[in-house]
Amino acid sequence: MWDNIQLGFATAFTLTNLGYCFLGVFLGTFIGVLPGLGSLAAISMLLPLTFYLEPTTALIMLGGIYYGGEYGGSITSILLNLPGTPSAAVTCLDGNPMAKQGRAGVALFVTAMASFIGGSVGIVALMGFGPGIARIGLSFGPADYFALMLLGLVAAATVGGGSVIKGLMMVVLGLLLGTVGTDVISGDFRYTFGLLELRDGISLVGMAMGLFGVAEVVSSIRDAKTRKITQKVSFRSMMPTRADMRATLAPMARGSTIGGFLGALPGAGTVIAAFLAYATEIRVAKDKTRFGNGAIEGVAAPESANNAAAQTAFIPTLTIGIPGSATMSIMLGALMIHGITPGPLLISDHPTIFWGLIASFWIGNLFLIVLNIPLIGLWVRVLQLPYKYIYPVVIAMICIGVFSMRTSAFDVSLVVIFGGLGYMLIKTGYSPAPLILGFVLGPMLEENLRRAMLMARGDPMRMISDPLTGSLLAMSAFLLIWAVVGGIRNLIRARRLQDMPSGEA
Amino acid sequence: MPPFFFALSELAMKTHSLRLVVSIILAGIGLIGFVIGLDYEFGSARRMGTGYFPVVLSGLLFVLAMAEGVSSVLMPEAQSPEPLDWRSLAAILCSVAAFAITIALFGLIPAFAVVVGLSTLSERGYGWKPALILSVFTCIGAWLLFTQLLGMALPLLQWRL
């Protein structure tokens, strides 16, 4: 263990890796600060920049973009009451009221500290549990892989809140889009419509940029004109009082634990971690009325939770090869582009990558503390830039990013299609994240299912009778039933409310 | 703009009809996938063919989308979200499409100028001066970043007609 940590720091402490780590967290924070664009858009936009780097350096930079985005998103939440990234949405609830009371500086300070503590807890969990989980993963057969991925997809569709049927549709559409291209087992082409470009499948980056980049930019253009920052944030105004510090310690500890646990589960991710941490704080608090009116716990807990989840999300991605969230599935794609297959063998085959990446997380989190406390004024200025000067450049970056992946104008036209589709989906209450997850997991899910069924001689009962596979499948079934029953109950309740005279509802 | 565009936007003005439009699109994708997928070798549960997975998935998508479509008519959601921003959507999508065409025919610099120029049309009264300045700066920045710093071998200017 100690040797590994030393190896990691030796890898991360080269000048190149330090430089790209800083560049990653800087760019990640920058894009995270921009409203609507989160770490998913940031990673896919900047992925082509890493093609020219060593795999370890590239991953260090991409990782930095990812958790940097988690830091940046909350700045926008506090100052504009508008989430910079989806996982920072909860921070709006109490962060913005704090800013309105003239305590924006304190809120930003607490956010940065909570993010750092959450991140640290997450990295420790990654170091402690990662190798052990990889060892368990070695014994997984195709049926276990299939069941695990299915559980992740069902969780992504049902746990996120909102309509279950819409979540399921997004997963199924993602799986279906994932079948486009060459079938791995038979070598036949599926849904290529005679187009040469589709034989390798739909471009993941093109699709993600359409669904998340273009669609989000379009939906923030109209609201952008009314936004204005009035608060001034000076270094002195950021210093919390001793009472503030005391009030945030326990929420940070609770938030980090919740986030660290949820981040490692398939399908849960940073958004749910933040929401659950906030809900827990309300439950624990003696005076519940303070929440929503600038309670400092309401900033500390979700921020530590989403950053802890952001770090532990690397556990399933790196050690089993199954990403738990849409952003992690882009990371998985990035790993494969650099010729590394994530899975149980990653830690033993590429120890420099795994431990170097972890060491870079420590360094990156330290960089972020500096970027977010002494240099906060920089990001406030970024937010003061009118959006009308930002979005044309963002669109241009999306275009060149997608184009340079495979120097393909076809992929750019995919951005048009998925951008239009994504905007409609967002406006009608769909969440495109499960779609991306389904798309990435689809080919793996199919391959493992086909192998497992071959081994079970076409008898599903044989698959279910295996204790591990069976219990994973049972968990998926339970989640699905629970969500459907909950959905029906909500419908009935809504019906009753409609039937009641309007005065009582 | 073609007339069907207006018809579509008028239809989408009502909330529940936009929900319906989206579920019809998704059901359509499912139906097309199902019909095409039937041509592929289906196989058996033991030896699944090329078509097994796609046919099951597209069938499932079709069923789910139909259910959602029916429920959007029977149970429209109470609160109506804000209407679609057609102008921004059209401008941004056109600018991305124009980038795809321009970069294939004329190279990097014209493509950047076109994508920035067209995307500024998404707001009324953006003005041509800020649009021009912004596109000049983006072009210079792109040249510095991609050709000088990263050494990407993309043609800056070409004529391929």
Side-chain angles (χ1 to χ4, degrees):
Chain A
M1 182 80 183
W2 196 239
D3 294 344
N4 287 328
I5 294 171
Q6 266 182 334
L7 171 74
F9 275 99
T11 314
F13 257 109
T14 63
L15 199 62
T16 335
N17 286 352
L18 279 177
Y20 279 102
C21 182
F22 181 78
L23 188 67
V25 294
F26 185 85
L27 292 174
T29 315
F30 181 80
I31 297 180
V33 164
L34 300 180
L37 294 175
S39 42
L40 196 144
I43 292 177
S44 8
M45 215 186 289
L46 300 170
L47 187 57
L49 297 186
T50 68
F51 284 179
Y52 305 90
L53 305 173
E54 293 270 307
T56 314
T57 315
L59 275 179
I60 286 176
M61 180 171 160
L62 288 171
I65 296 169
Y66 171 56
Y67 53 82
E70 298 297 325
Y71 273 77
S74 39
I75 301 175
T76 320
S77 295
I78 291 167
L79 293 177
L80 286 180
N81 197 19
L82 198 86
T85 50
S87 58
V90 194
T91 313
C92 292
L93 297 176
D94 276 294
N96 191 250
M98 276 182 82
K100 287 206 177 103
Q101 293 156 12
R103 297 188 359 116
V106 177
L108 289 169
F109 182 87
V110 167
T111 300
M113 282 317 288
S115 301
F116 181 74
I117 289 173
S120 306
V121 170
I123 305 170
V124 170
L126 175 58
M127 289 163 77
F129 296 117
I133 291 176
R135 236 165 285 138
I136 299 172
L138 278 175
S139 63
F140 281 3
D144 304 316
Y145 268 107
F146 167 75
L148 204 60
M149 285 187 244
L150 191 70
L151 178 62
L153 290 173
V154 171
T158 52
V159 180
S163 157
V164 182
I165 190 168
K166 285 177 180 167
L168 286 176
M169 270 154 81
M170 287 295 95
V171 166
V172 174
L173 181 63
L175 290 172
L176 188 61
L177 291 171
T179 64
V180 174
T182 315
D183 176 19
V184 223
I185 292 181
S186 68
D188 295 336
F189 299 134
R190 290 189 290 201
Y191 303 119
T192 53
F193 303 101
L195 292 166
L196 212 62
E197 290 88 347
L198 281 179
R199 288 190 182 175
D200 294 331
I202 294 171
S203 150
L204 168 65
V205 170
M207 192 168 99
M209 289 312 339
L211 288 173
F212 285 90
V214 168
E216 290 292 350
V217 166
V218 171
S219 41
S220 22
I221 286 177
R222 188 163 40 190
D223 308 327
K225 287 176 205 147
T226 53
R227 295 201 302 250
K228 217 172 224 163
I229 297 181
T230 44
Q231 297 91 5
K232 282 201 190 83
V233 182
S234 67
F235 188 59
R236 183 169 296 169
S237 77
M238 292 182 78
M239 284 305 122
T241 63
R242 193 166 289 178
D244 286 336
M245 286 305 276
R246 215 175 301 135
T248 50
L249 282 179
M252 282 184 202
R254 282 191 289 263
S256 311
T257 318
I258 293 172
F261 179 68
L262 283 178
L265 293 186
T270 52
V271 183
I272 295 160
F275 268 99
L276 216 71
Y278 188 74
T280 311
E281 283 316 306
I282 295 184
R283 196 160 300 165
V284 169
K286 284 184 193 117
D287 178 13
K288 298 184 198 324
T289 54
R290 292 188 307 120
F291 286 90
N293 297 313
I296 201 160
E297 301 95 311
V299 178
E303 277 305 315
S304 51
N306 66 30
N307 282 276
Q311 301 291 359
T312 51
F314 279 96
I315 295 179
T317 314
L318 292 177
T319 62
I320 307 183
I322 300 177
S325 65
T327 319
M328 275 295 125
S329 55
I330 303 262
M331 281 298 263
L332 189 90
L335 275 160
M336 300 220 245
I337 286 170
H338 284 283
I340 301 150
T341 321
L345 292 174
L346 177 93
I347 300 179
S348 47
D349 286 358
H350 304 278
T352 48
I353 290 185
F354 183 79
W355 295 103
L357 192 61
I358 287 181
S360 85
F361 290 167
W362 285 115
I363 300 167
N365 272 289
L366 282 174
F367 281 146
L368 281 165
I369 277 284
V370 177
L371 282 176
N372 279 274
I373 295 178
L375 296 178
I376 186 76
L378 181 68
W379 309 116
V380 178
R381 222 154 288 151
V382 167
L383 277 178
Q384 280 164 338
L385 257 170
Y387 196 59
K388 63 186 257 193
Y389 299 130
I390 294 174
Y391 70 81
V393 182
V394 169
I395 295 291
M397 287 300 294
I398 289 173
C399 289
I400 187 70
V402 173
F403 180 78
S404 59
M405 285 288 292
R406 308 199 268 206
T407 33
S408 150
F410 178 82
D411 289 353
V412 183
S413 65
L414 286 178
V415 177
V416 179
I417 297 171
F418 284 105
L421 182 70
Y423 183 64
M424 304 264 269
L425 291 176
I426 292 174
K427 284 289 169 186
T428 42
Y430 290 85
S431 147
L435 197 162
I436 299 275
L437 194 60
F439 178 79
V440 172
L441 289 182
M444 290 190 262
L445 188 81
E446 185 187 5
E447 201 187 327
N448 281 296
L449 173 68
R450 281 161 83 170
R451 278 212 204 127
M453 286 305 271
L454 200 64
M455 281 159 76
R457 299 184 193 170
D459 181 9
M461 287 317 286
R462 269 183 198 239
M463 263 170 77
I464 298 170
S465 61
D466 179 88
L468 182 62
T469 319
S471 48
L472 285 170
L473 288 174
M475 272 157 81
S476 309
F478 171 75
L479 263 182
L480 207 56
I481 293 166
W482 180 62
V484 169
V485 170
I488 292 171
R489 199 180 291 160
N490 276 345
L491 273 183
I492 295 170
R493 199 176 301 151
R495 261 286 149 89
R496 284 218 191 107
L497 282 180
Q498 268 180 6
D499 293 342
M500 263 193 269
S502 52
E504 283 172 50
Chain B
M1 264 181 268
F4 76 85
F5 199 74
F6 284 114
L8 197 68
S9 77
E10 217 160 291
L11 189 67
M13 279 306 168
K14 281 182 185 169
T15 333
H16 75 264
S17 48
L18 181 66
R19 249 181 94 197
L20 186 62
V21 169
V22 171
S23 36
I24 289 171
I25 293 174
L26 292 174
I29 295 174
L31 193 64
I32 294 169
F34 190 80
V35 171
I36 297 177
L38 286 180
D39 278 347
Y40 304 140
E41 190 212 333
F42 192 74
S44 62
R46 178 173 177 182
R47 226 172 247 288
M48 293 183 183
T50 320
Y52 199 105
F53 207 60
V55 165
V56 171
L57 286 175
S58 44
L60 193 60
L61 180 64
F62 179 74
V63 172
L64 287 171
M66 290 302 276
E68 163 67 13
V70 170
S71 83
S72 76
V73 175
L74 294 182
M75 284 174 281
E77 267 151 32
Q79 78 277 33
S80 58
E82 65 222 89
L84 295 187
D85 189 357
W86 287 106
R87 184 191 171 106
S88 304
L89 182 66
I92 298 287
L93 293 187
C94 285
S95 75
V96 177
F99 178 92
I101 298 165
T102 327
I103 199 160
L105 296 179
F106 306 114
L108 191 68
I109 298 293
F112 264 93
V114 163
V115 69
V116 173
L118 280 178
S119 59
T120 58
L121 291 179
S122 53
E123 280 176 281
R124 209 164 295 205
Y126 196 99
W128 61 272
K129 258 189 211 159
L132 191 70
I133 294 168
L134 197 62
S135 62
V136 168
F137 271 106
T138 319
C139 287
I140 295 172
W143 174 73
L144 274 177
L145 182 65
F146 291 103
T147 31
Q148 298 304 108
L149 210 68
L150 293 170
M152 228 179 244
L154 291 175
L156 291 178
L157 255 176
Q158 59 178 4
W159 190 266
R160 250 204 255 169
L161 270 183

